[in-house]
Amino acid sequence: MRSTSALGYSRAVSDGSLEMPDEVARHDYEGKCWWCSDVANSREHKWKASELREIFGKGDYGREVVWASGDDLTNLRSARSSEAKFSATMCVRCNNERSQPFDYAYSEWSSYAIRHHDDIVATRRVNFEDVFGDQTPEKLPLLARYYVKHICCRLAEDRIAIPTELICFLDGDVDRLTSVTAQLGVREEIHEMMEGPGPDAFGVWMRPSMALFSASRLVVTDFMSGIGLGAIELLYAVITESMEDRDPGLGVLENPVQQLSSFD
């Protein structure tokens, strides 16, 4: 964890669990699902098990697949390894039945992105009509909600309160988020690594989480991270406190045609 302070705000960065001063308010979910408040007894995959099987194959991976967290390296034994999952922050119903349409939409996008990865990176462009066809108007919002579900799990894992607007978005009560800005792009260092010599470096990853907190009020104000598939990343920023005096976010996957940015 690294922290710096400037202009009355501080920053905490971590590639594991997010660490901040004890004085900064953290949210206690009390063992309850962040979505419905039932008992949290289900662990959401950071990446879908089907996605991991498509990339790495089925069965026991042995020592061929490694999960890196900071300086620690752990063998990822299978698509259902604990390292591929968040802690138990959801209930079974929310993680399965309620969010199943989101998961199906993501599986379609993930499979397409794996098969067309090099073309997407080369053109820096995704037309989701190539992914979902005539069902794009229905399925693109479901894909956006899959990513928001992932973001909520990440916030809950780091014990940061989830903005009410994100829950309303998952419930279908709002169609556009003003507390989130998310952008698809190409992470250049991953792209360079994949282009270099050596074994196939195609994999999945999460960017270290970063939080901004008010040094005077000791509350988290912003949370940033990203989730990647190969060199393709969805980079996101969440406003975690009041939207007063803040510019609204740009939402998540608002347009069917996405021009990919270049990320460090």
Side-chain angles (χ1 to χ4, degrees), residues 25-189:
R26 305 294 282 272
H27 188 74
D28 184 2
Y29 287 88
E30 300 179 334
K32 297 179 180 179
C33 172
W34 54 257
W35 193 349
C36 74
S37 297
D38 203 347
V39 176
N41 55 5
S42 182
R43 301 181 65 184
E44 164 71 344
H45 270 81
K46 298 171 182 175
W47 307 275
K48 305 308 297 178
S50 58
E51 177 178 36
L52 296 177
R53 285 192 290 266
E54 187 167 354
I55 296 170
F56 302 121
K58 300 179 181 180
D60 191 327
Y61 300 148
R63 297 181 178 275
E64 295 182 3
V65 180
V66 174
W67 166 252
S69 178
D71 296 327
D72 298 327
L73 298 177
T74 305
N75 291 320
L76 194 70
R77 304 293 301 199
S78 75
R80 296 193 177 277
S81 293
S82 60
E83 289 81 8
K85 300 176 182 179
F86 291 105
S87 58
T89 61
M90 301 186 73
C91 69
V92 171
R93 177 173 174 266
C94 287
N95 197 20
N96 293 293
E97 179 185 340
R98 292 187 75 188
S99 57
Q100 192 173 68
F102 313 159
D103 297 344
Y104 285 161
Y106 178 78
S107 292
E108 284 189 62
W109 155 240
S110 172
S111 183
Y112 177 91
I114 292 169
R115 288 181 285 110
H116 298 275
H117 177 273
D118 292 348
D119 290 337
I120 293 171
V121 171
T123 62
R124 305 296 168 108
R125 184 177 184 273
V126 175
N127 185 341
F128 278 100
E129 291 184 354
D130 295 334
V131 182
F132 299 127
D134 294 341
Q135 294 182 302
T136 300
E138 295 78 30
K139 289 190 174 181
L140 188 56
L142 296 177
L143 176 60
R145 284 169 171 82
Y146 172 85
Y147 278 120
V148 170
K149 175 188 173 185
H150 173 91
I151 292 169
C152 288
C153 287
R154 195 85 191 267
L155 288 167
E157 184 107 306
D158 283 326
R159 294 188 293 123
I160 296 173
I162 295 168
T164 302
E165 185 192 46
L166 272 64
I167 303 298
C168 292
F169 183 71
L170 293 177
D171 288 339
D173 295 333
V174 297
D175 294 325
R176 187 179 184 280
L177 292 169
T178 59
S179 58
V180 179
T181 294
Q183 173 64 47
L184 279 174
V186 174
R187 190 165 179 182
E188 300 298 347
E189 63 176 333

